Amino acid sequence: MGQPQKPIAAEQQILSLGRVLQSIREEDDVDVLIEIVISYLQKEFDYKLIWIALYDRLNHVLFGKGGIMPHKDTSFLRQKFVISSGDLLEQVVIEQHPLGVADLRAEIRAAEWQKVAEKFQIQGTIIVPIRYKDRCLGLLLLGSERWGYLLTGEAKARLMMVLGELGAVLYQHEMHLQQKQTRRTDEPLLELLEKLGNVNNLNQRLELAVQATHKFVSPNRTNVYWFEREGRYFWCRMSNQLVKIDFNSSTQPAAGMTVQELSDFYYALSVNQIVSIGDARSSLKSHFTAKLLQRLKVRSLLAAPIIWQKNLLGFLAVESNEPRIWTDTDKNFVQGAAGLISLVAPNENTESTIKQIQEDAQLTSQVAQGVFNEHELQETLQICAKRVLTRFAATRFLLLQYDPEQNNYQFIYQSQPHNRRPLKFALDTLKELDGQLLQRSTQAVEIENLDEDLRFFNWRPLLLENGMRSLLICKCLHGQIPPALLVIAHETHRSWTTLEKELLWAVSQQIGVIVRQWQLHTRTQHQQKITFAFERCLNILAESENSKIEAGKKNLESTALEQIAAILGCPLAVLFSWSPGEKLVEIIPGVTASSQFGIFADASISIQTEALIQWALDTESYLTLKVDDLPPETRRWLNTPDKGQIFLMTLRTNTDYKPTGVVLLADTQERRWSEQSLNTTATLISQLAWWRRQKQINHLLESTTEELQQLNWYKHRRLEEIQRITALSLSQIHDLGIPANELTQMRYQLLLRQLDHATTSMSGLLKLEQWQLHKSWETMPIASLLKRSLERIDNLVKQQKLWIGVHGLGQPIQDGESPKSCLLPRGVASSNAQSGMAIAGDVMKIELVIHELLVNACNHSPSSGRIDIWCRRLTDHKPTDIKRNISQLGQDSAIRVGVACQKFLELSITHNGAIEPQLLTDLDKNTLKDVLAPSNLNQPPGLHLLICQNLMQELGGEVNFYELPDNRVVNRLLLPLASNDS
């Protein structure tokens, strides 16, 4: 065999690494482990300074375990190093990442190591944590004389493997040491539980718990503090340094601490949180920790709450005069001992607890019985309030109801001692957070100290002013804004047990049933009131009064305003009335029940400039606003209190009809009226608007009818007299005889025939058309009709020097031939074709319509202007109202019209005159938007043209008016043509 080869450098490093890892795994002594690692580092790495230290997490210090230095004295490397805030060692311990320093001599954050580096010329330095499972167990410091000397990748890997193995072994060693040092809490607690079961007195049990806790934890003092809810203070009930403290004893005063002094400490205990205050550590805020330690005159404290059924009974406290770090074992034992006390504490007052439960059950049953028997609300609440105040040792019983109109809570019932006055104020509506708190609550909301608690903050000033310091609040009914609340108040700071809060919750729910019944009864009464007011108002509007008497109309409107104001409970109701076209309003008073309201008698209110009226007119429905929103100009004539509420609504019947007034209602305070009341008020005001409009229309129609009747009577009697005189004159002419001259005789006979014809037609008019139109049936050639019509306007044509042309009379009977224009000079007869085109119907009325259209055209035409009359035959055309007209003319006439209306004559009169566009629009629609509003169709010439339009519809024809693109105005007349056999 040959000589074994010498291992190369890389293999030698791996072998050395394996040996040191194996040595670390097999060694149990920590000091030997440190020596093995230091020896390996000195051999394998070229560093002049090597230091290994172990980290104490509780005290935040490093314990040096040795190393090497350029100087032979290594005692410095075995010292205790307190970690300073912000230095390099703390950075490595906290971050648990290696840290390199190029020159340790220039690093001011290295503290004492900077001096060592300056002494031994150490520059490049590496600080590496020794860690395991995110826990820092120590650190390694390597220093070199070279600047910026760093480890290579391979060397760094070997170093981390060695330190990782070292960290694992140190962690196991620490865990094993903790297990050996950890005290077991189960055996002492079981022993304490056994002792507690052998005694019946609570003070003896507390004494046993204090002795066991003091023995196990070994503090300076161990105390049990008991909590008194009425007064909210703690008193020392048991201590290891005192004899038993009897609560009822007057010889030994108890050391008391108020909750106000221990606020944060108290709230932590209330949520079952153990409080630990030790060396530089505290579970409470720093500023309160110092205050608490000063109050208890200790430097360390460990307190565990004693809680039964979520109620804080007190706490078990271990106190030390020196700074001390409480271990988990200490905390577990104190918490366990406090838990055992909470189990045995309720047995002390078992009999009184049973009696209290019976009384609570009796209380709830009596309230339920009051609901069942449907007693009066006040009587039932009086019994309930008396028992609740006694049970809860409270001073005030308050039942609140939300008023949506006032947007606040009103007291509907309250009970208090005889030496206390009832509350006369109202509480604002809840803030959003407080409302959500009550919505989510399933038991009474407790306010132990109203001075400090931020809940129900907007109620606090008024409640504190009236001597209330602690509250229990329950919602009696559910809703987004709780409709009813029950409040129990006390004059001192105190707290209540969970059982008491649950009891009050049960009582409040039963009271909620009573309140609901009362609300339904009130709502029914309100509904009946609205119904009565509604019926009364409608009956008032339906009353038949003489519309001619203005005072009677005002009285009727005022009575309606009284009923409308009663629905909203307003002390002021006024109607601002006007007619279309007026500029100032008429003030009609309805209700003035308060001296705080008024309207100045000499007030002159303009429709266009008054803000209230314009606001109301711009609103489709009703409008509510505050008095503060009124402009100064309005306040000059309207006298209202500063915190009033205004309701406005326009008397509007239809969007096409103009408003005729505004109703103003006012109240002395800001209210939020219910939707039902507002809708009812709006309905009645709308009904009042329709009633006023109907009254105005009736008044207008009655007056118009009366005037037309007088006019018709007058004209008819005049026609009778003219007819009598004409007939008498004609009789006298006949008596005189016929002249002998032949020419005179012919003229005489012609005049006689004309007089006879006029008298005959006048007799028919007087006989058949005294109070209604009579429709006759006759035919006439259109040429003759036009000739007679043109003769009637001959003087008017000559005065204005107009030229009139007639076109289309030469059109043959057959369709399709081109029309020819012609003039009808006086005395010239029409051709055969002209005479063959005749119209059928009431010729006299048709002639009057044509005459009216020609007169209108002449009046609108400029001087020396031109008027064209176009005639065109139409076939198979029916007027829009042909069916209605046929039904009005009778069966025989209907047959004739049906035959005649198969063909029509279109007569178009065109001229270049100007006509008002609005008049054309109104005639085109042929309807009045608002009979009360001024219109072009209420007076000539629009009235005459409208009459012609309606009359022609009744006669089976049409009349239309429109403007051509070349600005010519066309009066289009559609006449039924007579058939050949008519």
Side-chain angles (χ1 to χ4, degrees):
M1 293 180 61
Q3 292 290 336
Q5 295 182 355
K6 230 176 158 181
I8 60 178
E11 293 178 350
Q12 199 169 12
Q13 291 176 353
I14 294 175
L15 292 175
S16 178
L17 177 62
R19 284 193 297 269
V20 73
L21 292 177
Q22 184 67 25
S23 300
I24 293 174
R25 296 190 192 101
E26 295 176 353
E27 185 58 52
D28 294 331
D29 192 338
V30 175
D31 293 333
V32 176
L33 282 173
I34 300 298
E35 293 297 333
I36 292 173
V37 174
I38 292 174
S39 177
Y40 172 75
L41 295 176
Q42 184 179 11
K43 180 180 178 182
E44 296 294 332
F45 297 91
D46 185 16
Y47 285 96
K48 299 300 181 181
L49 175 62
I50 300 175
W51 178 59
I52 294 180
L54 298 183
Y55 175 58
D56 183 1
R57 295 186 306 280
L58 297 179
N59 298 310
H60 198 50
V61 295
L62 291 169
F63 294 96
K65 303 301 291 184
I68 63 172
M69 293 182 66
H71 193 277
K72 292 183 178 181
D73 185 12
T74 60
S75 59
F76 175 78
L77 302 179
R78 296 185 179 274
Q79 294 181 5
K80 174 183 175 181
F81 292 87
V82 178
I83 299 178
S84 302
S85 177
D87 64 8
L88 295 179
L89 300 182
E90 184 186 48
Q91 182 177 348
V92 175
V93 167
I94 293 177
E95 296 181 358
Q96 299 186 27
H97 290 293
L99 179 65
V101 180
D103 189 353
L104 188 58
R105 297 174 301 176
E107 185 57 60
I108 60 175
R109 294 180 297 166
E112 298 180 3
W113 290 102
Q114 184 183 15
K115 300 178 182 178
V116 174
E118 292 176 351
K119 182 178 181 180
F120 299 106
Q121 298 301 313
I122 301 299
Q123 298 187 45
T125 304
I126 299 175
I127 307 174
V128 185
I130 303 172
R131 55 189 296 271
Y132 183 77
K133 290 185 177 180
D134 295 332
R135 177 180 293 186
C136 184
L137 303 171
L139 56 80
L140 167 66
L141 187 146
L142 301 175
S144 173
E145 295 178 349
R146 298 179 58 185
W147 185 91
Y149 182 77
L150 299 176
L151 287 175
T152 62
E154 177 269 337
K156 183 177 179 182
R158 287 186 289 120
L159 177 62
M160 298 309 295
M161 291 176 66
V162 172
L163 294 182
E165 193 67 29
L166 176 61
V169 175
L170 291 176
Y171 178 78
Q172 293 177 359
H173 183 269
E174 183 177 338
M175 292 297 101
H176 179 69
L177 184 62
Q178 283 185 1
Q179 291 176 0
K180 288 178 63 177
Q181 294 178 350
T182 301
R183 295 167 295 172
R184 297 176 61 88
T185 61
D186 51 354
E187 294 179 359
L189 287 176
L190 290 174
E191 183 180 354
L192 174 60
L193 180 60
E194 183 179 357
K195 291 180 180 180
L196 293 176
N198 295 330
V199 294
N200 295 325
N201 186 272
L202 178 60
N203 287 330
Q204 294 177 354
R205 291 174 174 175
L206 295 178
E207 184 179 1
L208 291 174
V210 168
Q211 291 176 355
T213 304
H214 192 76
K215 179 180 178 181
F216 187 87
V217 182
S218 299
N220 293 102
R221 290 187 303 274
T222 302
N223 302 322
V224 172
Y225 292 90
W226 217 247
F227 180 55
E228 288 300 325
R229 297 191 172 276
E230 189 169 354
R232 298 176 78 232
Y233 67 90
F234 293 95
W235 61 283
C236 184
R237 184 163 186 173
M238 187 60 62
S239 175
N240 69 304
Q241 295 181 348
L242 301 174
V243 296
K244 292 187 295 182
I245 299 176
D246 188 1
F247 175 62
N248 297 321
S249 174
S250 59
T251 59
Q252 181 63 48
M257 297 178 294
T258 64
V259 170
Q260 188 173 2
E261 296 176 313
L262 311 175
S263 57
D264 289 6
F265 178 67
Y266 166 72
Y267 292 123
L269 295 177
S270 299
V271 296
N272 200 13
Q273 176 182 341
I274 189 170
V275 176
S276 174
I277 302 176
D279 186 12
R281 291 176 179 81
S282 175
S283 58
L284 301 177
K285 296 179 181 178
S286 58
H287 70 280
F288 185 78
T289 299
K291 180 180 177 181
L292 178 62
L293 294 179
Q294 183 180 4
R295 177 66 180 82
L296 296 176
K297 299 179 181 180
V298 296
R299 299 190 64 183
S300 300
L301 173 68
L302 183 61
I306 303 173
I307 292 181
W308 171 253
Q309 291 184 344
K310 299 181 181 180
N311 297 314
L312 181 64
L313 304 179
F315 64 92
L316 173 62
V318 290
E319 306 167 359
S320 178
N321 295 329
E322 299 296 332
R324 175 170 174 176
I325 297 178
W326 305 105
T327 64
D328 293 339
T329 305
D330 297 335
K331 297 177 183 178
N332 292 336
F333 187 88
V334 174
Q335 194 170 18
L340 292 178
I341 295 175
S342 66
L343 292 176
V344 298
N347 297 333
E348 181 186 24
N349 301 319
T350 303
E351 294 182 0
S352 61
T353 302
I354 295 174
K355 182 179 179 181
Q356 189 64 65
I357 292 174
Q358 292 175 347
E359 292 178 355
D360 294 345
Q362 184 180 7
L363 172 62
T364 55
S365 64
Q366 287 177 345
V367 178
Q369 186 177 2
V371 177
F372 179 76
N373 293 333
E374 297 183 356
H375 290 311
E376 291 294 331
L377 176 65
Q378 297 294 329
E379 180 181 352
T380 303
L381 291 178
Q382 183 178 1
I383 299 174
C384 176
K386 182 178 179 181
R387 294 186 176 274
V388 169
L389 290 178
T390 303
R391 170 65 178 86
F392 289 89
T395 55
R396 289 188 183 271
F397 177 97
L398 306 174
L399 185 60
L400 292 82
Q401 183 182 11
Y402 176 70
D403 187 353
E405 293 188 358
Q406 305 290 344
N407 194 26
N408 58 18
Y409 280 93
Q410 305 281 346
F411 295 105
I412 59 175
Y413 183 82
Q414 51 181 314
S415 179
Q416 60 280 328
H418 297 294
N419 58 348
R420 299 291 185 273
R421 295 181 179 179
L423 304 179
K424 299 297 185 181
F425 53 85
L427 295 174
D428 295 336
T429 185
L430 294 171
K431 299 298 183 183
E432 183 178 0
L433 292 178
D434 296 330
Q436 294 176 356
L437 172 65
L438 287 177
Q439 289 178 16
R440 295 191 301 265
S441 64
T442 56
Q443 65 177 16
V445 177
E446 181 182 22
I447 305 293
E448 299 182 12
N449 186 352
L450 191 59
D451 298 279
E452 298 179 354
D453 206 310
L454 296 179
R455 293 174 294 178
F456 305 96
F457 187 79
N458 55 334
W459 290 5
R460 189 166 68 176
L462 289 174
L463 298 180
L464 290 176
E465 184 180 348
N466 287 272
M468 286 172 272
R469 295 295 181 269
S470 55
L471 306 172
L472 276 181
I473 304 176
C474 291
K475 60 177 179 182
C476 300
L477 297 171
H478 298 273
Q480 185 175 5
I481 299 178
L485 298 176
L486 175 61
V487 179
I488 301 299
H490 201 280
E491 292 183 343
T492 61
H493 301 154
R494 65 156 297 168
S495 63
W496 287 271
T497 65
T498 303
L499 180 62
E500 289 173 330
K501 289 185 281 188
E502 292 176 350
L503 172 63
L504 187 64
W505 174 265
V507 172
S508 68
Q509 300 310 296
Q510 293 175 349
I511 292 178
V513 178
I514 301 176
V515 175
R516 175 63 70 184
Q517 291 179 348
W518 180 77
Q519 286 180 342
L520 292 176
H521 177 68
T522 305
R523 190 173 300 172
T524 302
Q525 289 183 336
H526 183 63
Q527 185 66 38
Q528 291 175 352
K529 176 183 176 182
I530 291 178
T531 304
F532 175 77
F534 201 93
E535 293 177 354
R536 175 64 179 156
C537 189
L538 292 181
N539 291 334
I540 291 172
L541 299 181
E543 291 180 1
S544 175
E545 295 190 8
N546 189 358
S547 61
K548 294 182 181 180
I549 304 176
E550 190 70 16
K553 184 185 72 172
K554 290 184 180 180
N555 183 32
L556 193 61
E557 291 174 340
S558 300
T559 308
L561 288 175
E562 291 178 3
Q563 301 301 322
I564 293 173
I567 296 177
L568 296 181
C570 293
L572 176 67
V574 177
L575 172 61
F576 302 123
S577 176
W578 65 82
S579 299
E582 294 182 350
K583 296 182 179 180
L584 298 179
V585 302
E586 176 189 4
I587 302 175
I588 301 178
V591 178
T592 310
S594 176
S595 59
Q596 296 178 329
F597 288 99
I599 297 178
F600 298 108
D602 57 347
S604 179
I605 305 174
S606 172
I607 301 174
Q608 298 296 329
T609 60
E610 175 50 46
L612 277 183
I613 296 177
Q614 291 302 315
W615 291 346
L617 294 176
D618 293 339
T619 305
E620 294 184 1
S621 183
Y622 55 82
L623 174 66
T624 60
L625 63 153
K626 301 177 182 178
V627 172
D628 296 337
D629 299 332
L630 298 180
E633 293 77 10
T634 302
R635 300 296 295 270
R636 291 193 182 101
W637 60 264
L638 179 62
N639 183 25
T640 56
D642 293 335
K643 292 186 177 180
Q645 188 87 355
I646 301 293
F647 174 94
L648 292 173
M649 185 171 177
T650 305
L651 293 181
R652 182 183 286 112
T653 54
N654 190 288
T655 55
D656 295 332
Y657 301 156
K658 293 185 178 181
T660 60
V662 171
V663 173
L664 182 145
L665 306 176
D667 199 0
T668 56
Q669 54 187 344
E670 295 181 6
R671 300 175 59 185
R672 184 176 294 177
W673 291 299
S674 65
E675 196 71 21
Q676 183 184 20
S677 299
L678 290 173
N679 292 337
T680 304
T681 303
T683 302
L684 291 179
I685 293 177
S686 177
Q687 189 67 30
L688 176 62
W690 279 107
W691 173 82
R692 279 172 50 85
R693 174 177 173 78
Q694 189 62 38
K695 293 289 289 184
Q696 292 173 348
I697 291 176
N698 291 342
H699 179 71
L700 175 64
L701 294 180
E702 288 174 0
S703 60
T704 303
T705 302
E706 183 179 354
E707 292 176 359
L708 292 178
Q709 287 174 345
Q710 294 174 356
L711 179 63
N712 184 67
W713 171 85
Y714 168 73
K715 288 186 176 182
H716 200 78
R717 291 295 180 260
R718 289 296 303 273
L719 284 175
E720 288 179 348
E721 180 65 16
I722 294 173
Q723 192 269 344
R724 186 186 66 80
I725 296 175
T726 304
L728 180 61
S729 301
L730 185 60
S731 175
Q732 293 176 354
I733 293 175
H734 281 291
D735 293 341
L736 292 176
I738 301 174
N741 188 297
E742 183 178 357
L743 178 60
T744 306
Q745 181 181 0
M746 185 169 51
R747 293 288 302 274
Y748 183 79
Q749 290 179 349
L750 179 61
L751 291 174
L752 285 179
R753 283 197 302 270
Q754 291 178 353
L755 286 174
D756 285 334
H757 178 72
T759 304
T760 302
S761 62
M762 193 177 299
S763 300
L765 172 66
L766 294 174
K767 180 180 180 181
L768 299 177
E769 298 183 303
Q770 181 176 359
W771 291 105
Q772 60 184 3
L773 293 177
H774 175 74
K775 299 181 181 64
S776 61
W777 185 266
E778 48 191 333
T779 61
M780 175 179 285
I782 185 60
S784 300
L785 184 62
L786 288 176
K787 183 177 179 181
R788 290 172 54 178
S789 299
L790 292 174
E791 287 176 352
R792 296 181 64 179
I793 64 170
D794 186 59
N795 291 333
L796 184 61
V797 171
K798 290 179 179 179
Q799 289 176 4
Q800 298 188 11
K801 300 178 182 181
L802 300 176
W803 185 90
I804 299 180
V806 181
H807 314 276
L809 284 183
Q811 182 180 358
I813 297 177
Q814 292 79 12
D815 294 334
E817 296 183 10
S818 60
K820 299 179 182 179
S821 300
C822 67
L823 296 175
L824 292 177
R826 187 177 304 173
V828 180
S830 61
S831 63
N832 293 333
Q834 296 167 344
S835 60
M837 193 160 50
I839 62 170
D842 195 328
V843 176
M844 181 58 65
K845 294 181 177 59
I846 294 175
E847 182 180 351
L848 291 176
V849 171
I850 295 175
H851 173 70
E852 185 68 34
L853 297 180
L854 288 174
V855 170
N856 181 67
C858 292
N859 291 334
H860 285 89
S861 296
S863 180
S864 303
R866 173 191 178 104
I867 298 177
D868 293 295
I869 303 175
W870 300 86
C871 301
R872 185 167 66 96
R873 296 171 60 245
L874 301 178
T875 306
D876 298 331
H877 180 80
K878 293 184 179 181
T880 54
D881 291 339
I882 189 66
K883 294 182 180 180
R884 178 174 63 85
N885 298 326
I886 291 175
S887 64
Q888 292 178 352
L889 293 176
Q891 185 175 4
D892 296 337
S893 299
I895 296 175
R896 292 193 298 270
V897 172
V899 174
C901 286
Q902 292 180 359
K903 296 181 181 181
F904 290 87
L905 172 67
E906 182 186 56
L907 186 66
S908 298
I909 302 173
T910 63
H911 60 87
N912 293 321
I915 190 169
E916 187 178 353
Q918 184 61 39
L919 177 59
L920 290 177
T921 303
D922 295 341
L923 290 172
D924 180 57
K925 294 183 178 179
N926 197 9
T927 56
L928 287 175
K929 283 187 177 182
D930 188 355
V931 297
L932 299 177
S935 173
N936 292 319
L937 303 182
N938 291 338
Q939 54 190 354
L943 177 60
H944 294 169
L945 296 179
L946 178 63
I947 292 173
C948 293
Q949 211 172 33
N950 295 333
L951 181 60
M952 283 308 303
Q953 288 182 357
E954 295 181 6
L955 297 177
E958 286 183 3
V959 175
N960 303 107
F961 306 93
Y962 55 89
E963 188 175 8
L964 295 176
D966 59 359
N967 296 328
R968 287 187 300 162
V969 179
V970 178
N971 302 331
R972 179 177 177 271
L973 180 64
L974 195 65
L975 302 173
L977 282 173
S979 59
N980 295 330
D981 57 350
S982 294

